[in-house]
Amino acid sequence: MNDFIEWQSEVLKGIDLWTTNLKNEALKQKTYKGAINYLNKSRPDLPRSYQGTASEQFQSVIRSMFDEAKKMVYDEAQSQEINHE
């Protein structure tokens, strides 16, 4: 059982790391809007017939990672000062 708990901890750390990686990849676009569009376009779809199996739930986790990365981009964009030129 300890192996399972260790694996679970590693997966949770990996999710955080990959969410940050997704945000950083999105921010390579020219604008924040482009970064959001990149994440929306790259976000995987769920299968048409969702049964809630373990693999389908994992796909939901991946989709949630894209949503969290998008939130991180929004937060960064909203923390920018307004340029009054």
Side-chain angles (χ1 to χ4, degrees):
M1 189 62 156
N2 286 339
D3 289 342
F4 178 76
I5 293 171
E6 185 177 317
W7 171 79
Q8 184 180 17
S9 176
E10 289 176 22
V11 168
L12 292 173
K13 288 177 190 173
I15 288 170
D16 288 341
L17 176 65
W18 277 103
T19 301
T20 301
N21 288 345
L22 287 169
K23 178 202 74 153
N24 291 338
E25 191 65 29
L27 289 175
K28 291 180 181 177
Q29 308 305 307
K30 291 183 179 183
T31 63
Y32 286 105
K33 182 177 182 178
I36 296 300
N37 289 340
Y38 171 84
L39 290 167
N40 285 336
K41 187 172 56 175
S42 301
R43 184 176 181 232
D45 292 327
L46 286 176
R48 288 187 183 265
S49 134
Y50 187 81
Q51 302 294 317
T53 64
S55 63
E56 289 172 337
Q57 289 180 26
F58 187 71
Q59 290 173 354
S60 292
V61 169
I62 292 171
R63 289 172 51 87
S64 296
M65 291 166 55
F66 278 84
D67 293 341
E68 181 64 24
K70 191 165 44 170
K71 182 184 176 305
M72 293 165 77
V73 170
Y74 278 128
D75 289 346
E76 184 171 322
Q78 291 177 337
S79 69
Q80 300 293 313
E81 290 187 25
I82 297 174
N83 185 358
H84 297 283
E85 288 185 16

